[in-house]
Amino acid sequence: MIYQVRLLKGLFRPERSRYQLQNAEAVTHIGRNIVVLYVASLLLFCLYGFLGIGSESFSKELVGLGESEFEMGKLLILAGNAVAGLLYPTIYLFLIALFVWALTDIAYLKILIVQMIIFIVQLFEKVLLLPFFVYMDINHDANPFSLGVISQYLVSQEYVIHLFSEITIFQVLVIAIQYYYLKKMTERNTYALLAVIVLSYIAIWLLNALLAYVKVSVFV
């Protein structure tokens, strides 16, 4: 069976897509879909940079600069977001797939395709958060879909708040979809598979929280 990579079909018709992927002997259209995801991520991160979302700490430092330095600072922020826009899919598509592949008996290509499908959810979350960040003037820690809001009432440690803000209903959905796809593709214990999947995202959350903490701390 030849499996044609159709990301939206894989997201909205997971049962049929999972069956086809599970029994696939060859895969087509994977390259073009990877390019589409990279371009979408790059454009979205550049938009975030243009609007100054996620760079509040840096933006404060630009206020006291001259016009030329101010414009250069904005370009650096935009360039940084562009780089992040390329690293983001690399981590979520290839590195997580590599991690899961190394600890399971599932083919790397099939894991990668599942990552591509659920990456749409990751991008949708960022698109959905745009109006909240722009019109409500909130930061990532106040993400209404995360545990960040609640954590601010329970703890005062910034790193912990950053960590809880990474845990959103969309991340839970991503884990659930990934587990739904992969549990039929392994002969090993499915609970062990779930543990591997959850562990991979916990590692990403810890890293993101650390990066957010360091970025804020530099300018405090």
Side-chain angles (χ1 to χ4, degrees):
M1 178 183 295
I2 298 177
Y3 180 85
Q4 293 186 352
V5 180
R6 297 176 180 174
L7 301 182
L8 292 179
K9 177 184 176 182
L11 186 61
F12 294 108
R13 299 181 64 182
E15 185 175 359
R16 180 177 177 83
S17 181
R18 181 181 68 175
Y19 173 78
Q20 293 175 338
L21 182 59
Q22 181 182 354
N23 296 282
E25 298 175 351
V27 175
T28 62
H29 300 164
I30 187 170
R32 68 178 67 173
N33 281 284
I34 288 177
V35 171
V36 168
L37 291 177
Y38 265 89
V39 171
S41 177
L42 178 61
L43 292 176
L44 185 57
F45 270 78
C46 285
L47 179 59
Y48 265 65
F50 179 77
L51 296 175
I53 300 172
S55 58
E56 293 82 4
S57 299
F58 294 102
S59 299
K60 293 177 183 177
E61 298 299 309
L62 298 180
V63 175
L65 299 178
E67 184 177 352
S68 60
E69 291 85 357
F70 180 78
E71 293 299 325
M72 180 61 69
K74 290 199 301 183
L75 285 176
L76 288 175
I77 290 175
L78 190 59
N81 275 64
V83 172
L86 295 176
L87 288 176
Y88 188 66
T90 301
I91 293 172
Y92 278 97
L93 295 181
F94 296 101
L95 293 187
I96 290 183
L98 182 63
F99 180 81
V100 175
W101 170 78
L103 297 177
T104 64
D105 58 345
I106 306 172
Y108 177 80
L109 187 61
K110 293 185 178 182
I111 301 173
L112 176 60
I113 292 171
V114 174
Q115 289 301 121
M116 292 168 63
I117 293 172
I118 60 180
F119 190 66
I120 296 177
V121 179
Q122 304 273 17
L123 294 178
F124 176 74
E125 178 181 17
K126 287 193 167 293
V127 171
L128 187 61
L129 286 172
L130 266 175
F132 288 94
F133 291 149
V134 174
Y135 296 110
M136 297 183 65
D137 196 26
I138 62 176
N139 59 24
H140 186 69
D141 292 339
N143 181 348
F145 304 107
S146 75
L147 296 178
V149 177
I150 298 176
S151 68
Q152 293 181 55
Y153 292 97
L154 301 177
V155 296
S156 58
Q157 221 287 331
E158 284 189 18
Y159 177 79
V160 177
I161 294 175
H162 292 322
L163 176 59
F164 276 95
S165 69
E166 294 293 327
I167 307 173
T168 70
I169 58 174
F170 293 98
Q171 296 301 305
V172 174
L173 178 61
V174 161
I175 292 173
I177 296 174
Q178 186 174 10
Y179 177 66
Y180 174 82
Y181 265 92
L182 298 182
K183 68 179 181 179
K184 291 293 186 178
M185 300 182 191
T186 181
E187 297 180 356
R188 299 182 183 178
N189 187 294
T190 55
Y191 291 106
L193 171 65
L194 180 60
V196 169
I197 294 172
V198 172
L199 183 60
S200 66
Y201 283 92
I202 289 177
I204 297 297
W205 297 339
L206 290 169
L207 177 60
N208 286 341
L210 178 61
L211 292 175
Y213 178 73
V214 171
K215 184 168 63 176
V216 171
S217 298
V218 168
F219 295 97
V220 171

